[in-house]
Each structure stands twice: as structure tokens, then as C-alpha cells.
Amino acid sequence: MILENKEYSYKFDANKCSQCDGNCCIGESGYIWINNEEIQTLALHLKIEQKTLMEEYLIKVGYKYSIKEKQLSKDNYACIFFDLDKKQCSVYEARPKQCKTFPFWDYFKTRVKEVKEECPAIID
């Protein structure tokens, strides 16, 4: 499935995700923002209380929440929900919007070379 957004100069071939080791879920430390509605969806998906999800899997950053990361090595992290053995998201159906909209992030509008290097599913 080829996804495109008219605001971006590239397209995304979702079929090529299987050729990647999860580059969008692994790398430098960063924030994986999740809002209240997404927290509810994820808690339901995991069949746990929302409070448990927030305590065990999220960190509070100011007034917002981010999904925790696990450190793999120096300067290399992975989303806590990324299955390193299967090389895929373990909560794919309930992932937050930030994950769903990759690679169509404002950050990459002017950094096309960077997103192409990170993601093998980017096509011109």
C-alpha cells in the first residue's frame, strides 16, 4: 500500500516495513507522545487499568505523556512496545497517532534526505 500526503515530496510504501528492523521505533532517545484518548485505547488493548498503563509504560513530561523507552546500548533506545525479536510493534492496532503518521511528520518536510536514510519504505 502506497501512502502519500500532498504536503510532502515523498511517498511511503507500507509493504516495505517488513524489510526494516524498526528504524522508526529504534534509535536516539525521543518522545513518543500519547494523548488521553490514546491512553484509554492502549489500556483497553492491553487489558489493563489506565492507571497501571500510566505507571508502568508512560512518563510524564510537563503536562503531557510519552511512552517509555528501553535502552539498548549507548545512545540507542527502543519504544517499550517494540518487540525486538519480531522486529515489530507489539501494540500496532492501538499505537498512538504519532506512530500512525510516520513518516509524515513536520520535522521531515525539510529533512527528506534524513527520512530516506532512516526508512527503506520512502519512495520518490
Side-chain angles (χ1 to χ4, degrees):
M1 173 192 322
I2 306 292
L3 303 174
E4 55 186 304
N5 182 316
K6 63 183 178 183
E7 295 179 30
Y8 296 80
S9 62
Y10 53 85
K11 297 174 185 170
F12 176 75
D13 184 351
N15 298 317
K16 291 187 178 180
C17 284
S18 62
Q19 299 173 10
C20 176
D21 288 333
N23 293 350
C24 57
C25 302
I26 296 175
E28 295 176 15
S29 181
Y31 295 115
I32 308 159
W33 301 116
I34 185 166
N35 66 33
N36 289 334
E37 183 179 324
E38 294 166 336
I39 290 170
Q40 291 173 356
T41 300
L42 187 53
L44 285 170
H45 178 78
L46 294 170
K47 298 181 174 111
I48 60 175
E49 295 291 327
Q50 192 170 323
K51 181 180 178 193
T52 303
L53 174 76
M54 294 171 81
E55 291 172 354
E56 294 183 20
Y57 299 102
L58 306 180
I59 58 169
K60 189 166 182 162
V61 182
Y63 62 92
K64 297 181 350 180
Y65 286 91
S66 176
I67 296 175
K68 288 182 179 178
E69 298 173 302
K70 48 191 167 193
Q71 188 168 8
L72 306 176
S73 63
K74 186 180 189 290
D75 298 325
N76 193 26
Y77 297 81
C79 171
I80 200 165
F81 295 115
F82 186 72
D83 185 319
L84 292 165
D85 294 326
K86 294 180 180 177
K87 302 290 187 202
Q88 64 187 24
C89 178
S90 66
V91 295
Y92 188 82
E93 298 80 13
R95 71 198 190 282
K97 181 180 179 185
Q98 178 176 335
C99 302
K100 289 177 183 176
T101 59
F102 179 85
F104 299 109
W105 295 347
D106 285 344
Y107 176 85
F108 291 126
K109 279 184 179 178
T110 57
R111 294 172 178 88
V112 176
K113 182 180 177 196
E114 183 178 341
V115 76
K116 282 183 177 181
E117 289 171 1
E118 181 176 328
C119 180
I122 301 299
I123 54 178
D124 291 317

